[in-house]
Amino acid sequence: MSKKLVIVESPTKAKTIGKFLPRDYQVKASMGHVRDLPASAAEIPEKYKGEPWARLGVNVEADFDPLYVIPDKKRKLIAELKAALKDADELILATDEDREGESIGWHLQEVLKPKQPVRRMVFHEITREAIEQALRETRDIDLDLVHAQETRRILDRLVGYTVSPLLWRKIAPKLSAGRVQSVAVRLLVQRERERRAFVAGQYWDLKALLNKRPDRPGHRFEATLISVGGKRVATGRDFDEHTGQIAAGKDVLLLNQQEAETLRNRLIKGQWIIAEVEEKDATRAPYAPFTTSTLQQEANRKLGLSARETMRIAQNLYENGYITYMRTDSVNLSDEAINAARRRIREMYGEEYLSPSPRRYQTKTANAQEAHEAIRPAGDQMIPADSLPLDGRERQLYDLIWKRTVASQMANARLKLRTVSINVADAVFRTSGRTILFAGFFRAYVEGSDDPDAALESQEQPLPALSVGEQVDCRELEAVGHETQPPARYTEATLVKALEAEGIGRPSTYATIIDTIQQRGYVFKQRKELVPTFTAFAVTELLEQHFEELVDLKFTANMEQRLDDISNGALDYLLYLRQFFLGEDGLENQVKSREAAIDPRLASTVELGNLNAEVRIGQYGPFLAREENGERRTANLPPLLAPADLTDELAEALFNKKTEGPQVIGQDPESELPVLLKVGPYGPYVQLGEDDPNSKTKPKRASLLKGMSPDDLTMETALALLSLPRTLGEHPETGKPVQAGVGRFGPFVVHDGVYANLRAPDSVLDIELDRALELLAAKANGAGSRGASKTVIKELGEHPEGGAVQVLDGRYGPYVNWKKVNATLPKDIQPADVTLAQALEWLAEKQTKPKTARKGGASSAEQPTRKKAAGAAKSTAKPKKTTTRRATTKSTKKAASR
C-alpha cells in the first residue's frame, strides 16, 4: 500500500486535516518556515564570514543570491520530516495558499530534496469537501509567488540592514528602519505633529429641550441653535486649526459665553413654532463580508483585540476547521457560502429578512493576491456560535464573523429620516430623527456594536409627529460652550484602515507591523491610542530629509504593486531588485553618498518648533536641553510622554525637578539614612540613602504600588515599602515563615515555595497572617511545594500523541504542560485565553530546543533564568546546515548550493 506524506505548518492544522484524509496519508507539521536569512552574525556559517555580503545575508553582486540557513531549533524537526519522507511514495505540500505558504512549501522542497513526486495542495477551509477537492486538484509550486515572497524578504533585509546602521551612527544605538514599518511610523508622527500644531478655538451655542403639546414625556426632543438673524452660528468645522480662529472666508456668527447667555434669556420666553418638516425614506445595505483588514478593524472596535490577537485567534479558528482562510483581500463569497447563509436566514429570521437575490461583492483592492474568498464560517451549514464548542475570545470572534457573513445576504434596512426646523424670534433651531421601518440586516449585525438587538435602539432616534405651524413648549434652554478638538490619534483599527487605503503593506502583515513598531520603541499605547515617541520623531525627520522615497506613501504603495506584478509573472524580480538597490540612484549609493551630509547633532535633535528648549535623543533615551547663563541644562523626558503634550510649562517643571534633585521624605530611625522619593524610567520609587558611586552595593529601592500617588506618599508608607518582603509569622503546620512581598507578577504571599497572588482589597502592606494562610490554603488545596501537584488553571484537551494538555500555575507564573514537557506562557497571553493549538505549538517548539543543565528538580518552565557558569564546556553541536538557493523556473539555471 502506497504511503503519502502531507506537510502543513502547525500541529493543529495537521490534526484537523488528518481527520479528512485516508489512512495511507501521514500528516506532519513544519512549524512555519524551516529556513531563513541569518538572524545574527552567529548564524552565518564560518565559510562565509569573510565575505563582504555575509552580514547582509544577500549576495547583491550575484543576482541577489540569498544565504538561507537552517536555525538550530529546526534541525531535529527536519530530521524527523526526512525520516517520514523515506517511507512515503509521494510528498504533498499543503501549506497555506498565500505567498508565505507558497514560500514555506518551496523551502521544504529545497531542504528535503525529495526523490518522490511532489504535489502542491491548496484549500481555503479545512472541511472534508474542501480537502477532498484539493486532493483532486493539486498543482506544482507557483514560482512566481515564491519569487514575490523572496523579493519582499530581500527588500526588507536591504532596507533594514542598509539604513539601520546609519541611524545607529547618527541618532542612537539599536534603532531600526523598515520598508513598511518606517512608513507606518511616519503616519503616526504626522498625526502627532498635527496635534502639536493644533490651536483650540472656542464657540458657544444653545441647546433646547422641547415638548409637543400636550405635555407627555415621550414627546420631548432636543434641538440645537442653527442661525440668528439669518446668519449661521459657528460650529467646530468653521475654525482654522492652526490659529484657533474662524477660517478666512467664513461668514458665520461666533458667540461667546456672555452673548450666548444673553440670547438664551431673550429666546426662552418666546414662541417656538415649527417652521419646516422634511421627511425622506432611506435604505442601508449590509456590509461586505470580512477581509483580513476589516476583521482586524472591527475586532479592535468591538472586542478590543489588537491586530496581533485577532490574527492569532483567527488562525486557531481556521486550523480547527471553523472559518475559512483568514489572510485575504477578497470580499467574494462562494455559491456554497451564499446558499448556506440564505438557508440560515430563512430558518432564523424568516423569508422577509432575505435579500431578494444573492448579494455578490466586488473586491476593491487591486490584485487581491491572497485567498480567493472572504473570511466566513467554514463548510456549507453556517453554524451559529451557540452550536459550536467554542468559548472565550474564539467564540466572540467566530460570532462576529458569522454575523457579518449572514448579514451580507440579508435585506436592506429601511429607515425614515426627518429634519425639523423650529423658529423662535429671529433664531432657528434644528433637530433630526430616525425611525426604523424595517430592520433588515440590522437584526443580525450592526457595525461597531456587539449586540444587534441593543444596537437597534441606538439606530432609532424617533421624533414626535410634528406639523408646520404647530407651537411647541420650551422646557429647558441651555448655553453650551465648545472647544475644537485636535485630530484624533490613530488606534490599531484606524491605522489598519489608513495603511490599506494608502496601499501600504498587505493586510496579512498589519499585525506584525503594529507589533514591531511598538517593540522597537517607536510607539506606545495610551488607552487605545498609538502614540509615537520622540525617537520616532527623530528617525522620521532624518528619513524625510535624506531618504524621502523610503517614507513616501505613494512610493511604498508602488513597491507593493511591483510585488503583485512579480507574483503574477508580469515583472522580473531581479530587474526590480537591481533598480531598487544598485545603480546610481539605488539605495546602496544613496546611503553612501548622503551619509557625510548628515550631522549627528542635528539628526538626534527633534524639531518641535514652539518649545523653549530642544529635545535630543541620547544613548539612554530622549532628554531636554537648553543653554542658560552660559551653562547647559538637561533633564530626562518621561518615557510615556506624548510629544504633542510637551509644553513649556512641563519642560520647566522637568528642569526644576532635575535641579532640585530627589525629594527627601524623612529619615529612617534605624539606619538614620534619608528616605528619598525619586522618579526613574519605570515610574516613581523610594530609596534608602544616597547613591554612592564608590560603593559596589546599591541603596535599597522599592517601586510605588499600583494606584499610589507620589504626592500622597507618607514616611510610614515609604518605610513599609522598603521593608518588603516582610514576615507575617510562622505557618502553624510547618513552623516555616510566611512572607508578603512584590515580585515580577505583582504582590504575593509565600510559604515554603508556594506563592499566592494578592488582589484588591488585600494589600501587601497590611495583610495579616490569618488572611495569608487562607489564600495559601485556597491555592490548589495547599499545593505548591516542589513535587506536589500544581494548580490547574485550564484543561485544554488531548495531545495528538496522547495525554492531557493543561495550563498550570507554577512558582514562577503560568505555563502549559504535557507529560514532562513544560512551556512558559508569553507575557501578553492570559492563561484563560490559551487554546490547545497555541499550547501544542509552544510545546513542540520547546521539544526542539536543546536541554540545558539545571539545578534541582523544578520544571524548566518554573526555573528562573541563570547565568551560565564560568568555564562551561565548549559546545559540541554540529556545524549549522546552510543552503543558498534561488527559486528558479525550469528554464533558469539554479544557483549551486553552498
Side-chain angles (χ1 to χ4, degrees):
M1 185 177 185
S2 63
K3 293 183 179 179
K4 298 175 177 61
L5 174 63
V6 181
I7 302 181
V8 297
E9 295 94 335
S10 74
T12 303
K13 189 176 177 182
K15 182 180 179 181
T16 308
I17 195 176
K19 299 175 184 176
F20 309 123
L21 292 172
R23 291 184 178 180
D24 56 331
Y25 285 73
Q26 182 184 17
V27 189
K28 292 283 188 178
S30 72
M31 308 304 296
H33 277 283
V34 292
R35 64 177 188 173
D36 197 3
L37 301 177
S40 65
E43 286 193 353
I44 300 173
E46 199 64 40
K47 63 183 289 188
Y48 297 114
K49 286 189 176 179
E51 299 289 347
W53 52 267
R55 183 190 62 84
L56 188 62
V58 179
N59 189 349
V60 297
E61 301 298 333
D63 285 340
F64 295 88
D65 196 18
L67 174 64
Y68 289 123
V69 299
I70 298 172
D72 287 339
K73 65 181 181 180
K74 292 290 185 178
R75 288 188 199 169
K76 181 180 177 182
L77 174 66
I78 289 173
E80 291 174 356
L81 292 176
K82 285 185 174 181
L85 185 59
K86 285 181 180 179
D87 298 329
D89 301 311
E90 187 177 25
L91 173 62
I92 299 176
L93 301 170
T95 49
D96 289 342
E97 61 177 326
D98 56 7
R99 290 180 196 163
E100 197 79 25
E102 204 74 20
S103 180
I104 291 172
W106 177 78
H107 280 288
L108 281 166
Q109 186 173 359
E110 292 291 300
V111 170
L112 298 178
K113 298 183 178 1
K115 297 178 181 178
Q116 302 90 330
V118 179
R119 290 193 288 159
R120 175 80 168 102
M121 172 181 168
V122 294
F123 43 87
H124 71 282
E125 60 181 336
I126 307 178
T127 60
R128 184 176 300 281
E129 295 76 15
I131 298 304
E132 290 174 351
Q133 181 179 351
L135 279 174
R136 293 192 299 268
E137 300 175 357
T138 56
R139 58 170 173 79
D140 293 331
I141 292 283
D142 187 333
L143 289 175
D144 287 331
L145 287 178
V146 176
H147 286 148
Q149 171 62 19
E150 188 172 68
T151 303
R152 182 202 65 78
R153 185 72 184 94
I154 291 173
L155 282 172
D156 289 343
R157 178 57 67 99
L158 293 175
V159 174
Y161 276 48
T162 305
V163 182
S164 297
L166 178 67
L167 300 179
W168 306 341
R169 295 189 291 270
K170 301 299 182 179
I171 299 178
K174 299 182 180 179
L175 297 180
S176 68
R179 182 180 62 88
V180 178
Q181 77 166 49
S182 295
V183 182
V185 169
R186 188 191 188 197
L187 285 173
L188 300 174
V189 168
Q190 287 175 327
R191 181 60 55 86
E192 195 72 7
R193 287 171 179 164
E194 292 171 4
R195 289 178 64 89
R196 184 164 184 83
F198 179 81
V199 179
Q202 292 189 340
Y203 62 97
W204 286 73
D205 59 20
L206 301 180
K207 183 173 71 175
L209 177 61
L210 305 174
N211 197 88
K212 177 181 171 66
R213 296 180 175 181
D215 188 357
R216 294 181 186 174
H219 286 181
R220 293 185 180 180
F221 59 97
E222 290 183 349
T224 303
L225 179 66
I226 298 300
S227 66
V228 179
K231 181 175 283 192
R232 184 171 63 83
V233 173
T235 63
R237 65 176 180 270
D238 297 312
F239 285 80
D240 185 327
E241 62 184 20
H242 300 295
T243 65
Q245 305 298 314
I246 296 295
K250 296 275 189 177
D251 184 20
V252 293
L253 175 63
L254 178 60
L255 296 174
N256 58 32
Q257 182 176 4
Q258 184 176 350
E259 291 168 337
E261 293 286 357
T262 301
L263 182 62
R264 173 201 174 278
N265 295 334
R266 178 166 69 85
L267 297 180
I268 193 168
K269 297 178 181 178
Q271 286 190 333
W272 296 68
I273 307 297
I274 303 298
E276 184 180 1
V277 177
E278 182 182 349
E279 291 188 353
K280 63 178 180 180
D281 290 344
T283 60
R284 297 285 184 271
Y287 308 97
F290 281 130
T291 62
T292 303
S293 168
T294 53
L295 177 63
Q296 289 174 1
Q297 294 173 51
E298 270 292 83
N300 183 254
R301 285 193 292 257
K302 283 191 172 187
L303 306 178
L305 294 175
S306 67
R308 179 185 178 188
E309 289 172 318
T310 299
M311 295 308 292
R312 175 179 57 78
I313 297 167
Q315 179 93 32
N316 293 338
L317 290 172
Y318 164 68
E319 292 182 349
N320 281 288
Y322 292 117
I323 65 171
T324 55
Y325 192 53
M326 67 291 161
R327 293 188 180 96
T328 174
D329 294 336
S330 176
V331 292
N332 179 51
L333 287 177
S334 65
D335 289 340
E336 175 188 71
I338 290 174
N339 293 335
R342 294 177 74 81
R343 285 196 304 271
R344 189 62 66 179
I345 293 164
R346 286 191 185 95
E347 174 190 318
M348 295 183 66
Y349 303 108
E351 190 75 28
E352 69 272 23
Y353 283 92
L354 197 61
S355 63
S357 59
R359 294 184 187 271
R360 300 191 182 276
Y361 296 87
Q362 296 296 317
T363 302
K364 296 180 181 178
T365 305
N367 190 21
Q369 53 88 18
E370 308 286 7
H372 64 273
E373 193 172 0
I375 304 170
R376 64 166 176 86
D380 60 359
Q381 296 301 310
M382 210 59 61
I383 302 173
D386 290 341
S387 301
L388 292 173
L390 294 172
D391 56 20
R393 291 301 205 184
E394 287 191 351
R395 184 191 185 284
Q396 290 178 315
L397 193 65
Y398 177 87
D399 191 46
L400 194 65
I401 293 167
W402 184 91
K403 288 174 178 175
R404 179 88 163 213
T405 307
V406 168
S408 73
Q409 296 302 313
M410 294 179 72
N412 290 345
R414 299 198 306 273
L415 303 92
K416 183 176 289 292
L417 307 179
R418 304 177 71 201
T419 303
V420 177
S421 298
I422 307 104
N423 289 351
V424 51
D426 59 343
V428 178
F429 285 71
R430 185 169 295 161
T431 187
S432 59
R434 180 172 59 238
T435 305
I436 296 176
L437 302 177
F438 175 66
F441 74 93
F442 285 164
R443 280 290 306 275
Y445 182 86
V446 179
E447 190 171 51
S449 175
D450 293 322
D451 183 356
D453 291 331
L456 284 176
E457 297 180 10
S458 64
Q459 291 291 314
E460 282 220 319
Q461 297 173 359
L463 287 175
L466 298 168
S467 56
V468 175
E470 180 178 355
Q471 184 173 343
V472 294
D473 292 333
C474 179
R475 293 294 179 180
E476 297 177 14
L477 185 58
E478 179 185 8
V480 181
H482 305 273
E483 188 173 81
T484 57
Q485 298 299 310
R489 291 189 178 98
Y490 286 103
T491 62
E492 288 203 17
T494 56
L495 181 60
V496 165
K497 186 174 183 180
L499 290 170
E500 184 179 41
E502 296 289 351
I504 297 167
R506 279 290 176 194
S508 57
T509 66
Y510 293 157
T512 303
I513 293 168
I514 293 172
D515 197 42
T516 298
I517 61 179
Q518 291 180 79
Q519 287 181 355
R520 295 184 177 173
Y522 291 133
V523 176
F524 65 88
K525 268 191 176 179
Q526 185 173 277
R527 296 175 297 276
K528 282 191 172 184
E529 297 177 335
L530 296 173
V531 185
T533 61
F534 292 101
T535 303
F537 267 64
V539 170
T540 299
E541 287 171 8
L542 184 149
L543 295 177
E544 286 174 334
Q545 293 172 20
H546 301 281
F547 303 95
E548 187 176 6
E549 277 192 338
L550 287 182
V551 287
D552 180 79
L553 304 185
K554 292 182 179 179
F555 178 77
T556 307
N558 183 60
M559 292 177 74
E560 296 296 339
Q561 184 59 52
R562 299 288 76 80
L563 291 173
D564 289 343
D565 293 340
I566 293 169
S567 70
N568 291 330
L571 177 65
D572 182 271
Y573 66 98
L574 285 177
L575 176 63
Y576 181 63
L577 286 171
R578 292 189 193 108
Q579 290 173 343
F580 175 78
F581 194 70
L582 300 176
E584 188 175 344
D585 296 325
L587 179 63
E588 185 178 44
N589 268 352
Q590 287 184 36
V591 173
K592 289 178 181 177
S593 62
R594 299 174 189 179
E595 180 171 2
I598 302 174
D599 183 344
R601 180 174 177 79
L602 295 177
S604 60
T605 301
V606 178
E607 181 55 53
L608 293 180
N610 53 345
L611 188 70
N612 188 27
E614 65 178 18
V615 174
R616 299 286 307 281
I617 307 300
Q619 185 175 356
Y620 303 106
F623 64 92
L624 286 167
R626 74 180 178 202
E627 295 291 330
E628 228 176 72
N629 299 323
E631 294 184 359
R632 181 172 173 78
R633 295 184 65 189
T634 62
N636 290 333
L637 285 166
L640 300 184
L641 173 64
D645 298 339
L646 177 57
T647 62
D648 280 329
E649 293 76 17
L650 179 56
E652 195 65 39
L654 291 170
F655 279 123
N656 291 339
K657 182 175 288 188
K658 176 74 178 291
T659 302
E660 295 165 1
Q663 178 184 343
V664 178
I665 303 174
Q667 189 178 58
D668 176 28
E670 292 186 12
S671 65
E672 297 185 349
L673 293 172
V675 177
L676 309 175
L677 173 62
K678 306 181 79 173
V679 179
Y682 303 102
Y685 64 93
V686 290
Q687 177 175 305
L688 182 62
E690 301 280 1
D691 293 302
D692 184 356
N694 299 317
S695 174
K696 294 182 179 180
T697 305
K698 292 184 178 180
K700 185 166 186 179
R701 297 170 176 173
S703 296
L704 270 61
L705 300 178
K706 186 177 180 180
M708 281 187 174
S709 169
D711 296 335
D712 299 331
L713 187 67
T714 63
M715 184 64 179
E716 181 183 5
T717 303
L719 290 174
L721 289 170
L722 290 167
S723 71
L724 296 175
R726 64 189 184 94
T727 300
L728 307 181
E730 293 182 352
H731 196 287
E733 296 178 4
T734 66
K736 295 182 179 181
V738 176
Q739 292 185 310
V742 179
R744 178 183 173 190
F745 301 102
F748 62 83
V749 290
V750 59
H751 161 253
D752 196 21
V754 179
Y755 287 77
N757 294 330
L758 295 181
R759 295 179 177 83
D762 293 315
S763 168
V764 69
L765 298 182
D766 55 27
I767 189 169
E768 296 181 352
L769 180 61
D770 289 346
R771 174 57 178 160
L773 293 174
E774 286 180 22
L775 294 172
L776 291 164
K779 186 161 185 183
N781 298 320
S785 58
R786 295 186 179 188
S789 61
K790 308 296 188 296
T791 303
V792 178
I793 299 176
K794 186 177 182 180
E795 294 281 356
L796 298 177
E798 189 80 358
H799 194 283
E801 298 178 24
V805 180
Q806 302 170 316
V807 181
L808 302 179
D809 190 8
R811 183 181 179 190
Y812 295 96
Y815 62 100
V816 294
N817 165 265
W818 169 63
K819 295 185 177 179
K820 295 183 179 181
V821 183
N822 301 305
T824 305
L825 264 64
K827 294 179 182 178
D828 58 341
I829 302 295
Q830 294 298 316
D833 292 338
V834 175
T835 64
L836 179 61
Q838 289 175 288
L840 292 175
E841 290 189 25
W842 296 332
L843 292 166
E845 185 175 346
K846 187 63 181 285
Q847 285 178 286
T848 62
K849 291 183 178 179
K851 294 183 178 180
T852 56
R854 61 183 189 270
K855 296 179 181 179
S859 70
S860 60
E862 295 188 75
Q863 282 287 341
T865 304
R866 295 187 176 97
K867 294 182 179 179
K868 293 183 179 179
K874 292 183 178 179
S875 171
T876 58
K878 295 179 181 179
K880 295 182 176 66
K881 183 173 180 181
T882 313
T883 56
T884 59
R885 183 168 293 175
R886 162 83 55 211
T888 58
T889 60
K890 292 180 180 179
S891 60
T892 339
K893 184 178 179 181
K894 290 189 177 182
S897 297
R898 291 193 172 96

